[in-house]
Amino acid sequence: MASDSRSSARAVDAEGSGPRSRTLVAALLSVEALLLAGTATYCFIGVSGGIFEARFGIGLGVFLLLFALGLGVAARSILAKGRFGLGFGITWQLFQGLTGASLLRGGLYWQGALALLLATVLFVLLTRLVRSTPLPGGKA
């Protein structure tokens, strides 16, 4: 009996993490990457407009672009059923959750709420995909 409940639980997990959820996760990771790229652009424009000191603004912009690139690669990996996107995506969501909490504490309420919402939703979706992603050795 215990094996029947385990196999039915695995079937439910496999159903919930089909191609639709992979596409959704990849799309949400891409949205995060675009938001980071937009923020990096703001940093670069802020340097030229005098809002930021050159060293700080350029450094922050390059940092954000590198993580935007990583999120883009993670989204591609999710679509290709790769393992990189899962690990990077889950780690990034933990980091983003901490950043969202810091934004809330700093008085940036809608930005912090958006960061926390995306982090929570993607964390849950990514952890659901872990079971349906094949291991490098070929075992599921």
Side-chain angles (χ1 to χ4, degrees):
M1 288 190 164
S3 64
D4 290 338
S5 64
R6 286 183 193 161
S7 61
S8 65
R10 287 184 191 151
V12 169
D13 285 341
E15 279 180 25
S17 55
R20 276 184 168 166
S21 63
R22 285 192 181 279
T23 305
L24 176 63
V25 168
L28 289 174
L29 287 175
S30 298
V31 166
E32 286 184 346
L34 289 173
L35 289 171
L36 284 177
T39 306
T41 303
Y42 174 77
C43 290
F44 295 136
I45 292 171
V47 167
S48 65
I51 297 172
F52 298 121
E53 180 185 326
R55 190 174 179 181
F56 172 76
I58 292 172
L60 181 59
V62 169
F63 175 81
L64 293 172
L65 283 178
L66 286 173
F67 277 98
L69 179 65
L71 282 170
V73 171
R76 175 70 179 120
S77 173
I78 293 293
L79 287 175
K81 294 185 179 181
R83 301 289 297 175
F84 169 78
L86 294 172
F88 185 86
I90 289 171
T91 304
W92 175 256
Q93 299 319 310
L94 294 172
F95 178 69
Q96 183 174 318
L98 291 173
T99 303
S102 296
L103 288 171
L104 287 174
R105 189 164 184 208
L108 300 168
Y109 297 116
W110 73 267
Q111 296 93 337
L114 178 63
L116 280 173
L117 179 68
L118 277 171
T120 304
V121 168
L122 273 165
F123 183 82
V124 170
L125 290 173
L126 283 163
T127 54
R128 291 183 71 193
L129 284 178
V130 169
R131 286 184 171 224
S132 66
T133 303
L135 294 172
K139 297 177 184 176

